[in-house]
Each structure stands twice: as C-alpha cells, then as structure tokens.
C-alpha cells in the first residue's frame, strides 16, 4: 500500500470519519477515496481538498514531510457575509442545520459523486405555487384539486 493511502486511513481514523463522508465533503466518489487508500491510485487531482478536509497538508499525505500539521496552508479569511452565515448556521437546531445544508447543496448544483437534487415527494406540478404568474394569490383563492 502506498504511503498516501496509509496516511489518509490514519487521518480518517483520528478524525472519526469514514471514506463516504470524506468523499461527500470533497465532492468526489467514495470509490476515488477507496482507490487512494488501497494504493490502486497513487495520487489524486483532489489531494489538496482531501488534505484540507483531513486537517493536514498534501505534502504530509504524499510522504514528503513527517509532521501532519507543519506548513498547513492558511485558508482565505471569511468575508463578512460568510461569517454571518456561519453564525446563523450555528444558532440553528440540528434539524434546521440539516435542512439548510440540503437547500445549499441543491442550490449549488450537482457535484461529482452526487446526483441531481431530488424533487420533494409532496411536489405537485399540477398545483399553482407562489411563483406561478397565472394564480392571483392575493385576490383569488385557489381550491386544492
């Protein structure tokens, strides 16, 4: 097994996350992570993203350094809007946090390893919505079908 695979596995264990969760966070397939860990793939174009999620550096994952935290790249500072969004997210209940994440993921469009956004089961295209220009919601009551 390649040193990269050993180190990815080590960090996953230390952080208490699995391959699927890492893949979801990075936006790749679980198979890509598995190939990296097993040694079927020696490197990945996403190694920098994997390193960021594993709270280490690509150099450490590749075996170029012995300290997993040395020279960890600094992330760009958050903008004011990003800080507000984080503060709002943290103030939400866990159920609302999950709902917000689903909305954000749907809005960001399909990513590698994720299918298109799912249509809610209760969605009925035959019923008018608030965005339907044909329905006068303020003056006309629309009867359910």
């Amino acid at each position: 097994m390649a040193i990269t695979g050993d180190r990815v596995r080590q960090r996953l264990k230390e952080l208490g996350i699995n391959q699927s969760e890492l893949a979801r966070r990075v936006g790749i397939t679980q198979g890509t992570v598995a190939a990296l860990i097993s040694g079927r793939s020696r490197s990945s174009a996403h190694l920098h993203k994997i390193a960021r999620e594993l709270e280490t550096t690509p150099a450490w994952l590749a075996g170029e350094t012995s300290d997993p935290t040395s020279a960890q790249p600094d992330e760009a500072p958050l903008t004011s809007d990003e800080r507000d969004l984080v503060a709002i997210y943290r103030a939400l209940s866990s159920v609302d946090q999950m709902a917000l994440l689903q909305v954000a993921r749907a809005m960001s469009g399909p990513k590698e390893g994720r299918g298109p956004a799912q249509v809610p089961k209760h969605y009925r295209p035959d019923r008018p919505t608030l965005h339907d220009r044909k329905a006068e919601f303020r003056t006309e009551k629309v009867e359910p079908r």
Side-chain angles (χ1 to χ4, degrees):
M1 187 182 319
I3 193 164
T4 301
D6 288 334
R7 289 186 171 187
V8 169
R9 178 180 285 125
Q10 176 187 339
R11 292 300 294 163
L12 286 172
K13 185 175 180 181
E14 289 170 357
L15 296 171
I17 60 175
N18 59 33
Q19 293 179 21
S20 296
E21 176 63 14
L22 176 63
R24 184 195 66 76
R25 290 180 185 184
V26 174
I28 59 177
T29 65
Q30 188 272 333
T32 300
V33 175
L36 193 59
I37 290 174
S38 70
R40 288 178 292 162
S41 173
R42 296 200 181 270
S43 186
S44 169
H46 305 284
L47 196 61
H48 64 287
K49 294 178 190 175
I50 292 170
R52 184 178 335 124
E53 288 302 324
L54 295 177
E55 300 173 10
T56 190
T57 64
W60 183 79
L61 288 178
E64 297 170 6
T65 63
S66 59
D67 182 4
T69 60
S70 69
Q72 189 167 352
D74 292 330
E75 290 188 30
L78 297 177
T79 66
S80 175
D81 288 340
E82 290 168 334
R83 285 191 303 275
D84 286 347
L85 185 59
V86 170
I88 291 167
Y89 176 83
R90 288 180 178 165
L92 296 173
S93 69
S94 60
V95 173
D96 289 340
Q97 287 176 347
M98 291 302 295
L100 182 59
L101 283 173
Q102 285 180 322
V103 169
R105 287 182 184 128
M107 289 177 69
S108 68
K111 299 284 187 204
E112 182 182 342
R114 272 198 336 229
Q118 297 293 319
V119 175
K121 292 178 184 177
H122 65 274
Y123 175 70
R124 300 226 359 232
D126 59 321
R127 283 193 163 164
T129 67
L130 291 174
H131 303 287
D132 188 350
R133 294 178 191 257
K134 296 176 187 172
E136 295 291 330
F137 283 95
R138 296 181 198 278
T139 60
E140 173 187 328
K141 184 174 181 182
V142 177
E143 294 295 325
R145 293 181 187 178

